[in-house]
């Protein structure tokens, strides 16, 4: 029970009593003062001054929450200024855009009640409640439970949160949600079989009306039969995979790109894709497309072909706007060998070079050093393999 131990450790280092007092009118006034003065005084100076008139544990709690709210802005947007966190729970929390996307799909499936089995500080719980579901969260960690409840209250959302073991709590909701802890003292874990609650528990849930968030690196063969795996990226970052239990699955594999909210599934892939040399346009599929194994769906979308059957580069003679790939206009092919490539780049006065690569053993920083470029022009080159041969393409990014 690695994460149960981690949960107890974190609960021991966060002062639950001080957090309770932070929620009182006096604590809220102190938190507002900290927020107003932060950036004007250093955390240290502010803490020292406030400790003269306030309980030190309460001041520490206010300074910590204010600091965490700043860190949380990238995940929770403007709401971060009203929410509460612990450092680890913030790192584990689902970013708002992704949680909202998932909650909207749950709500659209007509489900009305949700049980979050390990809700942390409530990243997903808040989104499910915000989507109109009646929510109940459980977690082993009493601090996170208290914070999740405070977060529901802070956003004016209904719901209850309790200290319970997810594996033994009665599951009486339309949908169960699990986002098993994937970290331990040694850093992030990518294999879902090493999660807490355990993988057997999660796969058991997925036989029914359940949804589970897992690491995006999950191997396709770990996804149980009849369960849909959805890979999600947000702003070009591959952020997670989400498994939809048998009754909720509408595809085998899906990719969703946010903020567009565009989606492709295995039903969109052609039976086969052609492999051919580069055309007028080169498309670099979003990482989530590659993870989902749906590169050929992008081939279909842009009316194109693959440069290599095993590489996620798509080419086409047509310019097609797609949220699933970055499009580049192919300017010309350059020599692949270092010496000739250096000469070609120097001739074009290219001093700043972005190097993209797939399927070739090139370390961009090392190559850039070897090329020793001079000039005021900027350019992007794509190094890849076509019919087993290294190729260098000078390209221009379009969107
Ligand atoms: C990845 S975090 C959840 C994050 C949450 N979805 C969010 O967006 O804020 C996983 C949580 O599961 C909790 N947990 C792990 N094992 C548990 C168990 N057996 N019962 C209840 N909670 C558990 C951990 O304490 C942790 O807060």
């Amino acid at each position: 029970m690695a994460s149960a131990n981690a949960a107890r450790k974190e609960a021991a280092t966060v002062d639950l009593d001080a957090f309770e007092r932070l929620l009182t009118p006096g604590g809220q006034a102190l938190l507002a003062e900290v927020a107003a003065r932060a950036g004007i005084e250093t955390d240290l100076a502010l803490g020292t001054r406030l400790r003269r008139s306030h309980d030190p544990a309460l001041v520490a709690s206010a300074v910590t929450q204010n600091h965490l709210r700043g860190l949380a802005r990238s995940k929770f947007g403007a709401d971060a200024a009203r929410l509460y966190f612990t450092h680890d729970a913030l790192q584990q929390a689902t970013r708002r855009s992704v949680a909202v996307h998932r909650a909207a799909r749950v709500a659209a499936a007509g489900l009305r009640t949700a049980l979050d089995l390990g809700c942390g500080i409530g990243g997903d719980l808040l989104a499910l409640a915000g989507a109109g579901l009646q929510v109940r969260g459980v977690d082993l960690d009493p601090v996170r439970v208290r914070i999740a409840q405070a977060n529901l209250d802070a956003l004016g959302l209904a719901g209850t949160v309790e200290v319970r073991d997810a594996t033994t709590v009665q599951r009486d909701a339309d949908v169960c949600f699990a986002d098993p802890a994937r970290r331990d003292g040694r850093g992030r874990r990518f294999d879902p079989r090493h999660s807490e609650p355990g993988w057997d528990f999660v796969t058991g849930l997925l036989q029914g009306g359940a949804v589970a968030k897992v690491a995006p690196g999950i191997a396709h063969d770990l996804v149980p039969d009849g369960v849909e795996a959805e890979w999600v990226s947000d702003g070009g970052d591959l952020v997670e995979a989400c498994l939809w239990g048998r009754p909720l699955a509408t595809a085998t594999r899906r990719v969703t790109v946010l903020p567009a909210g565009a989606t492709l599934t295995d039903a969109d892939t052609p039976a086969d894709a052609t492999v051919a040399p580069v055309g007028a346009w080169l498309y670099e599929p979003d990482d989530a497309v590659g993870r989902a194994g749906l590169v050929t769906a992008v081939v279909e979308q842009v009316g194109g072909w693959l440069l290599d059957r095993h590489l996620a580069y798509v080419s086409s003679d047509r310019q097609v706007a797609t949220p699933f790939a970055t499009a580049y206009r192919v300017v010309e092919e350059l020599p692949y060998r270092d010496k000739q490539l250096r000469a070609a780049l120097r001739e074009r006065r290219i001093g700043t070079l972005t190097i993209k690569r797939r399927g070739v053993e090139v370390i961009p920083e090392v190559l850039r050093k070897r090329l020793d470029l001079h000039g005021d022009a900027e350019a992007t080159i794509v190094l890849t393999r076509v019919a087993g041969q290294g190729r260098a393409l000078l390209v221009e990014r379009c969107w």
Side-chain angles (χ1 to χ4, degrees):
M1 294 280 287
S3 82
N5 289 336
R8 277 186 219 105
K9 200 169 132 204
E10 196 185 13
T13 56
V14 174
D15 187 338
L16 188 51
D17 175 60
F19 181 71
E20 253 344 315
R21 283 184 288 135
L22 195 66
L23 300 174
T24 65
Q28 292 293 293
L30 181 66
L31 188 52
E33 183 175 355
V34 170
R37 297 296 302 169
I40 300 171
E41 294 174 67
T42 63
D43 279 2
L44 186 66
L46 186 59
T48 308
R49 183 170 65 74
L50 291 173
R51 272 195 297 277
R52 290 190 201 114
S53 50
H54 295 83
D55 169 51
L58 184 60
V59 173
S61 185
V63 170
T64 300
Q65 287 307 327
N66 186 62
H67 175 66
L68 292 173
R69 284 176 169 183
L71 296 179
R73 209 170 300 134
S74 61
K75 262 190 184 173
F76 287 89
D79 278 348
R82 295 194 282 160
L83 299 174
Y84 304 93
F85 307 95
T86 72
H87 195 272
D88 287 357
L90 170 59
Q91 282 195 312
Q92 291 179 327
T94 304
R95 55 169 104 172
R96 169 57 58 90
S97 50
V98 180
V100 164
H101 157 72
R102 176 170 29 244
R105 179 168 166 188
V106 169
L111 305 169
R112 305 221 171 283
T113 56
L115 173 61
D116 188 338
L117 295 163
C119 63
I121 53 85
D124 287 285
L125 192 73
L126 295 170
L128 289 163
L133 281 104
Q134 194 182 316
V135 300
R136 177 180 174 217
V138 299
D139 202 288
L140 284 176
D141 179 341
V143 172
R144 292 181 182 204
V145 164
R146 186 64 191 95
I147 291 179
Q149 185 69 64
N151 285 342
L152 283 170
D153 298 345
L155 298 188
L157 296 166
T160 58
V161 194
E162 300 152 70
V163 178
R164 287 282 166 86
D165 186 331
T167 58
T168 55
V169 74
Q170 194 183 349
R171 301 200 294 266
D172 51 5
D174 295 344
V175 65
C176 288
F177 174 70
D179 173 9
R182 281 182 269 135
R183 285 164 192 266
D184 66 5
R186 285 164 290 142
R188 192 182 263 277
R189 289 170 152 180
F190 286 105
D191 189 336
R193 290 169 298 185
H194 299 141
S195 63
E196 278 293 339
W199 184 235
D200 287 349
F201 172 71
V202 174
T203 53
L205 288 178
L206 291 167
Q207 298 306 311
V211 182
K213 171 181 158 185
V214 292
I218 185 172
H220 289 198
D221 60 6
L222 281 182
V223 178
D225 283 349
V227 167
E228 172 184 329
E230 177 187 22
W231 280 264
V232 182
S233 72
D234 185 24
D237 298 338
L238 171 63
V239 282
E240 65 168 51
C242 179
L243 304 181
W244 294 84
R246 282 167 165 270
L248 300 171
T250 53
T252 301
R253 284 172 287 122
R254 177 185 297 279
V255 58
T256 299
V257 294
L258 302 175
T263 194
L264 286 173
T265 72
D266 48 299
D268 300 307
T269 55
D272 199 17
T274 314
V275 176
V278 72
W281 298 87
L282 182 73
Y283 296 85
E284 182 182 50
D286 188 289
D287 283 346
V289 172
R291 287 281 182 187
L294 295 176
V295 173
T296 54
V298 173
V299 168
E300 180 83 353
Q301 229 188 21
V302 303
W305 57 87
L306 293 169
L307 292 189
D308 181 291
R309 192 157 300 287
H310 305 289
L311 296 179
Y313 274 133
V314 175
S315 191
S316 169
D317 283 329
R318 287 164 44 194
Q319 182 183 9
V320 180
T322 169
F324 297 102
T326 306
Y328 296 90
R329 187 173 73 81
V330 179
V331 180
E332 61 178 310
E333 181 159 359
L334 299 180
Y336 184 75
R337 289 181 184 285
D338 279 14
K339 202 169 152 204
Q340 289 87 337
L341 180 59
R342 184 192 303 128
L345 293 169
R346 286 201 174 163
E347 203 178 291
R348 290 160 183 77
R349 305 197 47 74
I350 293 168
T352 308
L353 186 67
T354 301
I355 301 170
K356 321 258 337 160
R357 52 151 186 89
R358 276 186 185 170
V360 289
E361 305 262 319
V362 170
I363 302 168
E365 299 72 45
V366 175
L367 175 62
R368 206 175 286 110
K369 224 175 229 170
R370 269 204 317 262
L371 291 172
D372 185 26
L373 299 171
H374 302 284
D376 38 25
E378 288 181 27
T380 301
I381 55 168
V382 171
L383 302 176
T384 191
R385 208 174 59 218
V386 179
Q389 297 292 312
R391 290 275 192 270
L393 305 168
L394 183 64
V395 298
E396 247 173 35
R397 187 181 169 139
C398 296
W399 64 80

